[in-house]
Structures are given as structure tokens and as C-alpha cells.
Amino acid sequence: MGPITFRDVVIEIFLHEWEFLNSLQKKLYRDVMMENYSNLVSLGHSISKPDIIVLLEEGRNPWMVVRKEARSWHTDLYRSPG
């Protein structure tokens, strides 16, 4: 076992699941994801800010990421290093 990463604490949710959540459940999801990321940073993990956190900070839905090379919509929870 190595150190804890954001992938270890992320809660993946897909569009078809998101659509069934009410506004309080969506807020809870956002709060938990932001807290998970904040806790990792506070422990001294120097990680790039994951795309999902950027989206949530902007008030956007978590699956709205387009990869330039693929030009397709998909869930992209992790920002590639560099």
C-alpha cells in the first residue's frame, strides 16, 4: 500500500445517476468531494487540482469535460500530471 491519492477517495458519479439526485443530494456530493480534496491537500499532498474539483468550484456538473484529443464527452475525474 502506498500513500492515499485522490483516486482513493473520489466518488464517481455518472450522468444517468446524477439525474436522479435532488438538489440537496447534489449539494452533498459537491461538499463531500470538495472536503475530500481539501483534506488531502491539508495532509501535505502536492497534487494537481483534479478536473472534477475545478468543475465543482465553477458550479458546473462533474461530467462536463471534453478531451481535446478525443473531442468527445466523458467523465474525467483526474487531471493528468504536467
Side-chain angles (χ1 to χ4, degrees), residues 13-80:
I13 191 161
F14 299 97
L15 176 58
H16 66 277
E17 297 167 323
W18 186 262
E19 292 174 334
F20 287 104
L21 300 180
N22 64 40
S23 60
L24 291 175
Q25 292 167 321
K26 289 176 182 179
K27 182 183 178 330
L28 177 61
Y29 174 82
R30 286 183 173 106
D31 291 347
V32 168
M33 293 305 299
M34 297 297 288
E35 185 174 352
N36 285 349
Y37 175 72
S38 177
N39 288 338
L40 283 176
V41 171
S42 73
L43 291 172
H45 291 272
S46 60
I47 59 174
S48 298
K49 190 177 284 190
D51 288 337
I52 191 169
I53 298 302
V54 173
L55 293 171
L56 293 173
E57 286 176 339
E58 294 173 352
R60 297 170 57 199
N61 292 327
W63 63 87
M64 300 294 289
V65 176
V66 177
R67 284 200 177 176
K68 292 177 185 148
E69 65 276 7
R71 297 277 185 219
S72 63
W73 293 95
H74 66 94
T75 303
D76 188 358
L77 300 177
Y78 319 102
R79 183 172 295 222
S80 58

